[in-house]
């Protein structure tokens, strides 16, 4: 038996054992290259839990967790930028010294498909800054570079890709010479994949020789870090804290000394940033304390009575929105994934339109209605697995959060650019510049501040304020 035939035999047995024999239906008519492609797809699938998953999450809808007792999650209020407390000072100092000692790494999850945005290429390559059109990846690279210069120590940046965008992401960094970072400190690793299922539990084929696979969710980052040797290489570099953020938020503070410092001082294993919700039903995850543990309950799962609940003073009772900005302790991720085969976050089920092959005719179907079940794991489901209380830090939405999710409307490139200009104008106000405003209060001109010039408003205080009488780029 040649090597291909041996691999086929292994896969045939696995598919049969998992009730997925149809995946090899077109094998006899495939060319050698197509057979190799199909085997490579099948080898990425973890077949062991598939049958159980089909029963629990595909053919049936998993029941919502029923918590006996849901309370608002406690959080550290947003520090007053003009009068920081002693605790804030001490935590920020601690964060800077951890950065100086090389104990902190950045982690960007960039494996998503960005279907809502519809940009051709990895989302991190999207030109986003209002004047220079810097891509998201460049904005993060420059923040990391600016932090390296300040602490005098290299900082490792881990970027989780997916099998579908890994090559393009690496090529983009090569083409741009890692935006000034030492390429040896930028580490790419692909996440795992999950097949799409027909409602009857059969895995869908994208083509007769390709399985319909998609990335397994940002929660897949934990297992991917373990399986791809990232945790081991973090340990070898003395990295203890992982500053986690999503690729689609150009306002994110990639390495926030205050957040890292508080996380370390409190002995938290997984910390999170939150902002007050903009309305009761805002489509965000809510931080709650459920049966004594911090968790995130998605807006769609938060009962209306809780979403509208009020405190005695009239304020919103469940008011903490999840920004998907976390610090994770490396030791925590190691503990969770020590037995990688046994570890798993819960799967979230979504009904989607997935083009696929009709198993009878071999013709491709472009569905008009959702025809498939996709399963994804979410990072916030690691929160209840911590053994120490989780820190939640309140922050200012206008300073740190404006994601690019959609092509138009809310959370689009347009709103993110607007929010970048607004923030830049506020920072220049703090620095004493005269920023002209239009009648509606918006800055009269586009303004962009390079992360290499300032990581916060405070960084601008030390320099003479620029004159703003047209589009302004602060370098
Ligand atoms: P989203 O949930 O917004 O998904 O991801 P998405 O894939 O980017 O966009 P849509 O839903 O298809 O329009 C939030 C963050 O998590 C990352 C994304 O890259 C983004 O930074 N992510 C998501 C992954 O890294 N892997 C995944 O499997 C899913």
């Amino acid at each position: 038996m040649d090597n291909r035939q041996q691999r086929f035999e292994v896969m045939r047995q696995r598919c049969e054992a998992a009730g997925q024999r149809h995946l090899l239906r077109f094998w006899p008519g495939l060319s050698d290259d197509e057979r190799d492609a199909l085997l490579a797809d099948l080898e990425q699938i973890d077949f062991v839990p598939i049958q159980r998953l089909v029963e629990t999450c595909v053919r049936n809808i998993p029941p919502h967790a029923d918590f006996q007792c849901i309370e608002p999650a406690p959080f550290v209020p947003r520090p007053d930028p003009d009068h920081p407390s002693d605790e804030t000072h001490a935590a920020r100092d601690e964060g800077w010294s951890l950065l100086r000692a090389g104990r902190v790494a950045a982690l960007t999850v960039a494996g998503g498909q960005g279907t809502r945005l519809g940009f051709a290429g990895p989302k991190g390559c999207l030109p986003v800054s209002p004047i220079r059109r810097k891509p998201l990846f460049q904005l993060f690279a420059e923040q990391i570079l600016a932090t390296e210069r300040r602490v005098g120590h290299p900082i490792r940046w881990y970027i989780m890709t997916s099998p579908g965008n890994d090559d393009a992401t690496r090529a983009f960094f090569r083409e741009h010479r890692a935006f000034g970072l030492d390429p040896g400190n930028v580490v790419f690793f692909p996440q795992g994949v999950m097949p799409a299922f027909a409602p009857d539990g059969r895995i869908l084929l994208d083509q007769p020789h390709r399985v319909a696979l998609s990335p397994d969710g940002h929660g897949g980052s934990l297992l991917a870090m373990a399986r791809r040797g990232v945790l081991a290489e973090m340990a070898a570099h003395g990295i203890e804290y992982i500053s986690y953020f999503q690729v689609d938020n150009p306002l994110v503070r990639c390495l926030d000394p205050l957040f890292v410092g508080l996380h370390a001082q409190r002995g938290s294993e997984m910390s999170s940033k939150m902002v007050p919700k903009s309305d009761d039903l805002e489509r965000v995850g809510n931080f709650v304390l459920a049966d004594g543990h911090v968790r995130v309950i998605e807006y769609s799962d938060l009962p209306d009575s809780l979403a509208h609940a009020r405190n005695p003073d009239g304020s919103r009772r469940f008011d903490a929105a999840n920004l998907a900005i976390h610090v994770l302790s490396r030791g925590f991720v190691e503990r969770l994934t020590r037995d990688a085969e046994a570890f798993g976050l819960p799967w979230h089920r979504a009904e989607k339109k997935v083009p696929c092959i009709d198993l009878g005719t071999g013709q491709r179907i472009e569905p008009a209605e959702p025809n498939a079940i996709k399963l994804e794991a979410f990072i916030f489901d690691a929160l209840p697995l911590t053994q120490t209380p989780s820190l939640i830090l309140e922050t200012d939405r206008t300073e740190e959060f404006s994601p690019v999710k959609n092509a138009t409307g809310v959370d689009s490139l347009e709103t993110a650019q607007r929010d970048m200009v607004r923030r830049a104008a506020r920072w220049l106000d703090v620095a004493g510049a005269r920023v002209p405003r239009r009648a509606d209060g918006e800055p009269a001109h586009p303004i962009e501040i390079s992360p290499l010039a300032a990581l916060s408003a405070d960084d601008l205080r030390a320099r003479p304020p620029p004159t703003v009488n047209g589009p302004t780029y602060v370098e």
Side-chain angles (χ1 to χ4, degrees):
M1 249 200 284
D2 67 9
N3 178 266
R4 185 181 297 121
Q5 197 56 35
Q6 278 173 5
R7 288 166 65 203
F8 170 78
E9 253 325 295
V10 173
M11 282 306 135
R12 193 185 57 74
Q13 285 172 19
R14 284 193 196 163
C15 289
E16 277 184 12
Q20 302 289 345
R21 194 183 173 152
H22 64 280
L23 291 172
L24 295 162
R25 177 167 302 176
F26 300 104
W27 181 266
L30 300 181
S31 68
D32 282 353
D33 284 351
E34 288 172 339
R35 288 180 172 186
D36 287 343
L38 180 58
L39 287 174
D41 278 358
L42 294 173
E43 284 165 355
Q44 290 184 66
I45 299 174
D46 186 0
F47 278 101
V48 178
I50 288 285
Q51 254 181 327
R52 182 178 43 82
L53 280 183
V54 163
E55 278 318 309
T56 53
C57 303
V58 178
R59 288 204 193 118
N60 297 295
I61 300 179
H64 285 312
D66 182 17
F67 301 111
Q68 297 305 309
C69 173
I70 298 182
E71 303 274 332
F75 61 88
V76 175
R78 178 160 67 99
D80 177 346
D82 296 321
H83 305 99
S85 66
D86 289 349
E87 193 201 7
T88 301
H89 267 304
R92 197 172 275 130
D93 288 350
E94 172 75 6
W96 280 119
S97 64
L98 290 168
L99 284 159
R100 258 193 305 279
R103 308 258 291 278
V104 188
L107 167 63
T108 308
V109 285
Q113 294 178 303
T115 41
R116 283 169 288 173
L117 181 64
F119 173 64
K123 210 193 248 189
C125 309
L126 178 78
V128 69
S129 75
I131 295 179
R132 291 295 172 98
R133 300 284 183 260
K134 292 181 187 175
L136 285 154
F137 280 134
Q138 181 172 3
L139 293 178
F140 306 146
E142 290 184 357
Q143 280 197 46
I144 293 168
L145 191 57
T147 309
E148 283 183 344
R149 287 179 181 162
R150 222 167 280 188
V151 300
H153 198 288
I155 295 171
R156 287 181 93 67
W157 181 17
Y158 296 87
I159 300 177
M160 184 174 83
T161 61
S162 70
N165 73 16
D166 188 75
D167 285 347
T169 306
R170 289 175 199 254
F172 191 70
F173 274 75
R174 269 197 307 277
E175 190 186 323
H176 293 281
R177 297 166 185 276
F179 302 103
L181 292 169
D182 175 352
N185 285 326
V186 185
V187 181
F188 303 91
F189 65 103
Q191 67 178 108
V193 291
M194 195 61 176
F197 297 86
D200 65 6
R202 283 184 300 178
I203 292 175
L204 294 174
L205 284 169
D206 175 57
Q207 298 175 51
H209 66 291
R210 297 304 305 261
V211 183
L213 295 174
S214 42
D216 61 359
H218 41 67
S221 54
L222 302 181
L223 264 188
M225 280 194 278
R227 289 194 166 140
R228 302 281 173 185
V230 168
L231 292 173
E233 90 114 57
M234 283 179 172
H237 282 86
I239 292 160
E240 284 176 44
Y241 303 107
I242 304 166
S243 180
Y244 170 108
F245 54 94
Q246 301 191 335
V247 76
D248 53 17
N249 177 15
L251 296 192
V252 73
R253 183 89 198 253
C254 302
L255 296 153
D256 179 353
L258 171 64
F259 189 33
V260 173
L262 275 173
H263 171 93
Q265 285 185 334
R266 300 275 179 111
S268 172
E269 290 187 311
M270 177 167 175
S271 298
S272 312
K273 282 194 179 173
M274 76 82 160
V275 291
K277 278 160 56 174
S278 56
D279 61 76
D280 289 358
L281 303 177
E282 188 182 358
R283 294 158 74 92
V284 286
N286 296 262
F287 287 110
V288 302
L289 205 57
D291 295 342
H293 251 298
V294 168
R295 351 179 129 240
V296 169
I297 297 191
E298 290 199 271
Y299 63 90
S300 45
D301 294 339
L302 189 70
D304 263 13
S305 57
L306 297 186
H308 294 297
R310 289 289 181 271
N311 294 312
D313 67 359
S315 59
R316 190 177 296 118
R317 191 159 147 72
F318 291 91
D319 196 29
N322 176 24
L323 302 185
I325 302 172
H326 302 284
V327 175
L328 295 140
S329 291
R330 173 177 52 83
F332 171 57
V333 186
E334 281 172 353
R335 192 183 77 233
L336 292 186
T337 57
R338 191 156 293 139
D339 182 356
E341 301 316 314
F343 170 73
L345 295 175
W347 293 103
H348 293 251
R349 177 188 200 274
E351 294 179 16
K352 299 263 169 143
K353 286 187 272 186
V354 176
C356 61
I357 294 296
D358 181 301
L359 290 172
T361 63
Q363 298 296 311
R364 197 167 154 86
I365 305 168
E366 294 287 341
E369 297 297 325
N371 62 325
I373 314 297
K374 280 191 172 186
L375 302 178
E376 280 190 281
F378 295 160
I379 188 73
F380 58 69
D381 281 322
L383 280 165
L385 306 177
T386 58
Q387 289 178 345
T388 57
S390 268
L391 167 91
I392 301 175
L393 173 64
E394 182 187 7
T395 185
D396 180 348
R397 186 190 296 250
T398 62
E399 283 288 300
E400 299 198 39
F401 190 64
S402 186
V404 184
K405 300 279 186 198
N406 303 307
T408 53
V410 285
D411 293 344
S412 62
L413 182 58
E414 192 186 334
T415 54
Q417 288 181 333
R418 177 202 66 196
D419 292 342
M420 292 171 84
V421 171
R422 285 181 180 169
R423 185 179 76 171
R426 275 199 314 278
W427 286 12
L428 290 184
D429 289 339
V430 169
R434 250 200 74 278
V435 179
R437 300 292 207 285
R438 301 187 317 222
D440 63 2
E442 294 293 335
H445 309 288
I447 306 171
E448 177 176 336
I449 299 174
S450 166
L452 295 169
L455 294 171
S456 67
D458 271 350
D459 295 344
L460 289 174
R461 287 185 211 257
R463 49 197 277 170
T467 310
V468 181
N469 49 22
T472 303
Y473 176 67
V474 181
E475 190 137 33

